[in-house]
Amino acid sequence: MPIEMKDIISKKILNEAKGYLDIGYTHSLNPYSGCAFSCRYCYVREMPIQKFKDTPWGEWVEIKTNAAENYQNEVIKLRQKNKPIKIFMSSATDPYQPIERKAALTRRILEAMLETPPDLLQIQTRSPLITRDLDLILKLKKTCDVLVSMTIETDREDIKQIFSPYAPGIKLRLRALREIYESGIAAQASISPVLPFTPDFPKLLNGIVDRIWIDTLNIGDGSMGKRSMRLGMPELFAAYGLSDWYRGDIHARVEKYFKKSFPHAMINVSKNEAFPKP
Ligand code: SF4
């Protein structure tokens, strides 16, 4: 799939946390606009940033080339006002886009964070490319709370191919998560959104995470399921005979299942607070 790439200058990089992020984060940080991973369930498809674009979601990426400079300037101003800075990176893109290998934009933001650290940083990604930056994240961990959260919606590659064919493979993500965990950085598996998985999924996560986050298309799309409906998710699940996995209580069922294998404190279901100190 050809992807339109464009360098842009953005006015600001920290956006006040609203909606589902208003659970302990103060800001979201999106180094890119658009996303090459193009997940079929992605709620950003239903947000104004995509609604007013002619190019389909997944076929454009904008690189906010001044992101690191903006970060530093904005943090200095927030600090002057004694404001807390608890960042979720990223909410409307993946900070480890394939182009990040070359653009190193997220890496430059992490370097800027070493100079002017936030109070808390959660890095949310589904890309093993994050392991490139473990050196910086380990240094950052000495100055602020850091959690790396790897999205692993399922342990089934065939299911990933249906819902998220352009995203990195599950085995690669699991391997990256292990590396993150073993390096001593707080590591989370984000089963978000829950997709059909095998009974062995908990075993695969055992010993490679500090915590597990569970979220669903009905809760975590920022509109209590309406965006997922508009994206045709109930129909997509039905087309593959998977409707049982789209039930309104799936989060509770998955929570119960994972609590058989993990201490209860390790499992968090969407709507809970931002990550507690590991
Ligand atoms: S990786 Fe995240 S932002 Fe990108 S398409 Fe998938 S859900 Fe959307």
Side-chain angles (χ1 to χ4, degrees):
M1 186 171 61
I3 297 176
E4 281 177 28
M5 295 283 174
K6 197 164 128 193
D7 285 351
I8 61 161
I9 300 289
S10 61
K11 280 199 192 118
K12 63 199 289 272
I13 198 69
L14 292 176
N15 287 304
E16 256 176 59
K18 284 186 262 177
Y20 76 97
L21 279 181
D22 193 11
I23 51 168
Y25 306 99
T26 58
H27 298 87
S28 62
L29 193 168
N30 292 287
Y32 297 91
S33 290
C35 184
F37 294 148
S38 193
C39 309
R40 289 179 76 173
Y41 53 72
C42 180
Y43 60 75
V44 188
R45 293 171 181 272
E46 284 294 310
M47 290 168 74
I49 193 167
Q50 178 58 42
K51 287 271 178 192
F52 297 113
K53 276 258 181 217
D54 293 330
T55 312
W57 184 247
E59 296 182 25
W60 61 277
V61 172
E62 291 173 351
I63 305 163
K64 300 178 187 174
T65 53
N66 60 334
E69 294 77 17
N70 274 353
Y71 168 82
Q72 231 155 10
N73 294 336
E74 289 167 41
V75 165
I76 287 167
K77 281 189 195 142
L78 288 165
R79 288 297 185 213
Q80 282 165 354
K81 293 181 196 159
N82 281 326
K83 298 264 189 185
I85 304 167
K86 300 183 178 187
I87 296 174
F88 188 92
M89 178 173 85
S90 297
S91 57
T93 185
D94 191 303
Y96 287 94
Q97 293 293 306
I99 191 68
E100 168 64 19
R101 209 173 283 281
K102 201 166 125 205
L105 190 55
T106 297
R107 186 163 174 90
R108 278 191 278 133
I109 293 168
L110 291 172
E111 283 166 349
M113 285 182 178
L114 283 175
E115 284 181 38
T116 43
D119 300 307
L120 175 153
L121 172 67
Q122 176 165 334
I123 305 175
Q124 185 67 48
T125 184
R126 66 193 65 215
S127 172
L129 180 56
I130 189 173
T131 56
R132 179 199 65 184
D133 291 344
L134 288 189
D135 57 335
L136 298 180
I137 300 168
L138 276 167
K139 283 186 199 158
L140 194 58
K141 184 186 156 214
K142 292 180 188 151
T143 55
C144 71
D145 291 330
V146 181
L147 178 74
V148 171
S149 179
M150 180 68 69
T151 302
I152 305 182
E153 322 94 302
T154 172
D155 60 339
R156 288 177 56 181
E157 301 280 359
D158 61 328
I159 292 288
K160 186 216 83 110
Q161 281 306 110
I162 296 169
F163 291 90
S164 196
Y166 302 108
I170 301 297
K171 278 200 189 109
L172 293 174
R173 297 189 220 173
L174 286 166
R175 199 183 302 158
L177 193 54
R178 177 181 290 281
E179 193 177 336
I180 293 158
Y181 178 80
E182 288 180 351
S183 75
I185 295 163
Q188 171 172 280
S190 182
I191 308 175
S192 171
V194 167
L195 297 179
F197 56 78
T198 76
D200 286 340
F201 195 11
K203 273 192 222 151
L204 290 175
L205 298 181
N206 202 2
I208 62 168
V209 292
D210 294 287
R211 53 179 260 161
I212 293 170
W213 175 261
I214 296 167
D215 204 352
T216 68
L217 288 170
N218 278 311
I219 297 174
D221 70 350
S223 65
M224 292 311 283
K226 290 198 196 87
R227 285 181 182 144
S228 300
M229 293 269 276
R230 288 200 293 270
L231 289 172
M233 287 303 108
E235 293 79 5
L236 186 59
F237 275 68
Y240 288 89
L242 304 169
S243 293
D244 268 1
W245 289 88
Y246 202 77
R247 300 164 51 140
D249 64 347
I250 195 71
H251 59 290
R253 290 168 157 255
V254 174
E255 178 185 12
K256 200 169 157 198
Y257 186 64
F258 272 78
K259 280 185 171 169
K260 286 184 194 164
S261 304
F262 291 92
H264 290 200
M266 276 179 74
I267 310 286
N268 285 267
V269 183
S270 181
K271 294 283 166 208
N272 287 3
E273 57 184 12
F275 72 89
K277 282 193 179 192

